[in-house]
């Protein structure tokens, strides 16, 4: 298994540009999520999905969209990039959320810089 | 709202000593508490999970304790090695249907030879 994969690894955008961060997992996990990690702050949840066709907002959803058309893929879209979205983005998946004791498996991250 | 604090940004210890990292939380008691390791430029990797009704959990040189009265978890690495140098994150799992985790900011551990 490749686990959780993310592309691209690095990206530089100009303010106002849009882009999609890709995330895929091959473990047949139902639950997927996106976090951002900023210096001096913990990982913060952006959006999550408990299964194909179901998404919901996390702690910091503004400026981001997600969709979940398949179990495997969970792309994160930046609609109009802003310098405040400069961060490292991690995608994670787990077999099931909530009462399950399954751990979260994280991807390698995408380092995004918005100029 | 739930808060989680790892009270040391950095911890420097000598090889062979025991490293002890602290995680404190406020408000609601989590259903589970998890510890992750993160190396520079990489995603977090799961280490241990402890349930609210467990006092202690061990895995090789790692030990986690969970004190719901003190609202605190301690993470120990015994016989520490330079390869243990990394940032360690604790995360609260409040349960529920989403399985969301609330992460601390992490403690950067440096083990000197």
């Amino acid at each position: 298994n490749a686990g959780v994969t993310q592309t691209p690894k690095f990206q530089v955008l100009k303010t106002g540009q849009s882009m999609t961060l890709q995330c895929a997992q091959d473990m047949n996990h139902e639950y997927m999520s996106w976090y951002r990690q900023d210096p001096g702050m913990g990982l913060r949840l952006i959006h999550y999905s408990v299964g194909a066709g179901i998404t919901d907002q996390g702690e910091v959803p503004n400026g981001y969209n997600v969709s979940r058309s398949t179990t495997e893929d969970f792309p994160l879209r930046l609609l109009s990039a802003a310098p405040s979205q400069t961060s490292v983005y991690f995608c994670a998946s787990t077999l099931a959320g909530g009462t399950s004791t399954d751990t979260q498996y994280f991807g390698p991250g995408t380092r995004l810089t918005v100029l | 709202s739930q808060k989680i604090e790892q009270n040391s940004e950095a911890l420097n210890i000598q090889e062979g000593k025991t490293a002890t990292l602290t995680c404190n939380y406020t408000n609601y008691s989590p259903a589970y508490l998890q510890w992750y390791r993160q190396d520079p430029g990489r995603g977090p990797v799961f280490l241990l999970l402890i349930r609210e009704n467990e006092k202690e959990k061990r895995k090789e040189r790692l030990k986690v304790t969970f004190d719901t009265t003190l609202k605190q978890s301690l993470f120990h690495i015994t016989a520490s090695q330079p390869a243990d140098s990394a940032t360690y994150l604790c995360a609260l799992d409040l349960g529920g249907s989403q399985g969301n985790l609330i992460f601390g900011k992490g403690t950067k551990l440096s083990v000197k030879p």
Side-chain angles (χ1 to χ4, degrees):
Chain A
N1 288 348
V4 180
T5 58
Q6 291 183 239
T7 56
K9 194 167 180 61
F10 301 94
Q11 183 69 50
V12 179
L13 292 177
K14 294 181 179 178
T15 297
Q17 288 184 315
S18 62
M19 78 158 295
T20 299
L21 279 64
Q22 302 292 343
C23 174
Q25 52 88 12
D26 61 357
M27 297 174 283
N28 203 30
H29 285 174
E30 288 294 323
Y31 181 90
M32 296 184 73
S33 54
W34 277 100
Y35 293 87
R36 60 177 289 173
Q37 187 174 40
D38 301 293
M41 306 191 73
L43 288 155
R44 292 183 292 168
L45 184 66
I46 304 172
H47 284 285
Y48 64 94
S49 169
V50 299
I54 307 170
T55 64
D56 207 344
Q57 296 180 352
E59 179 186 356
V60 288
N62 292 340
Y64 308 95
N65 273 358
V66 293
S67 60
R68 184 93 179 270
S69 56
T70 67
T71 299
E72 294 77 22
D73 301 299
F74 190 43
L76 178 72
R77 297 182 186 85
L78 279 70
L79 307 173
S80 178
S84 61
Q85 294 179 305
T86 293
S87 186
V88 181
Y89 291 84
F90 290 100
C91 179
S93 74
T94 189
L95 185 59
T99 57
S100 168
T101 58
D102 283 327
T103 64
Q104 297 214 12
Y105 295 84
F106 284 84
T110 294
R111 185 175 294 274
L112 175 68
T113 302
V114 182
L115 303 175
Chain B
S1 62
Q2 186 69 306
K3 288 186 179 179
I4 180 169
E5 290 182 355
Q6 293 184 251
N7 59 359
S8 295
E9 285 191 15
L11 179 65
N12 298 312
I13 65 169
Q14 207 67 31
E15 182 177 8
K17 301 293 186 183
T18 295
T20 298
L21 285 63
T22 304
C23 179
N24 295 293
Y25 60 91
T26 60
N27 298 336
Y28 308 111
S29 290
Y32 314 104
L33 194 145
Q34 302 184 15
W35 284 88
Y36 288 78
R37 169 181 173 143
Q38 187 174 23
D39 291 288
R42 294 181 176 269
V45 175
F46 170 79
L47 295 175
L48 281 169
L49 176 150
I50 187 165
R51 297 176 177 79
E52 60 181 333
N53 60 352
E54 296 177 322
K55 296 290 186 186
E56 182 179 298
K57 183 73 71 75
R58 290 177 184 261
K59 178 182 177 182
E60 297 174 351
R61 294 186 295 111
L62 308 180
K63 185 178 82 171
V64 173
T65 62
F66 195 3
D67 189 326
T68 54
T69 301
L70 293 178
K71 298 194 176 196
Q72 181 180 83
S73 174
L74 298 179
F75 177 81
H76 306 273
I77 306 175
T78 58
S80 60
Q81 304 165 2
D84 295 325
S85 298
T87 296
Y88 292 86
L89 310 174
C90 69
L92 305 183
D93 183 346
L94 299 179
S97 61
Q98 295 84 18
N100 297 334
L101 296 178
I102 301 173
F103 282 87
K105 297 177 185 179
T107 296
K108 185 175 181 180
L109 174 67
S110 296
V111 181
K112 307 290 187 200

